[in-house]
Amino acid sequence: MMRGAFPDVQWTLEETVAESHTVAARFTMQGTHDGEFFGIPASGNKISVQAMNFYYLSDGRIVGEQGQPDLLGVIQQIGAVPAP
């Protein structure tokens, strides 16, 4: 979904915290809105938002993941809703 809307998307790892079999990671996500995103046509706008993911490990492998990007920030930056 992200690569279709933001083909040049880049994630920069900012911070990680690990405990037991869980790793939390905070990223900065940047890219250019060059494709449809949730029905919003390409705007050509550049975005930069934070994202947070949790990775669940077993035997040294990732067996699950939950992630939450700042979707409000994305849709504000592509011009779909006004920014405050």
Side-chain angles (χ1 to χ4, degrees):
M1 176 181 73
M2 294 307 291
R3 287 242 181 249
F6 305 92
D8 63 346
V9 69
Q10 296 286 317
W11 287 272
T12 302
L13 181 62
E14 305 290 352
E15 181 177 15
T16 59
V17 177
E19 183 176 308
S20 185
H21 300 288
T22 304
V23 175
R26 184 175 59 85
F27 298 90
T28 298
M29 183 177 70
Q30 297 178 312
T32 307
H33 184 215
D34 284 335
E36 187 176 293
F37 185 68
F38 286 113
I40 303 160
S43 65
N45 291 0
K46 299 217 180 274
I47 63 148
S48 180
V49 296
Q50 295 289 302
M52 185 76 183
N53 286 19
F54 289 88
Y55 299 97
Y56 305 100
L57 310 173
S58 178
D59 295 322
R61 295 178 181 231
I62 297 173
V63 295
E65 174 190 11
Q66 289 185 340
Q68 185 59 56
D70 176 10
L71 290 178
L72 177 59
V74 171
I75 62 172
Q76 285 174 332
Q77 290 177 41
I78 64 176
V81 297

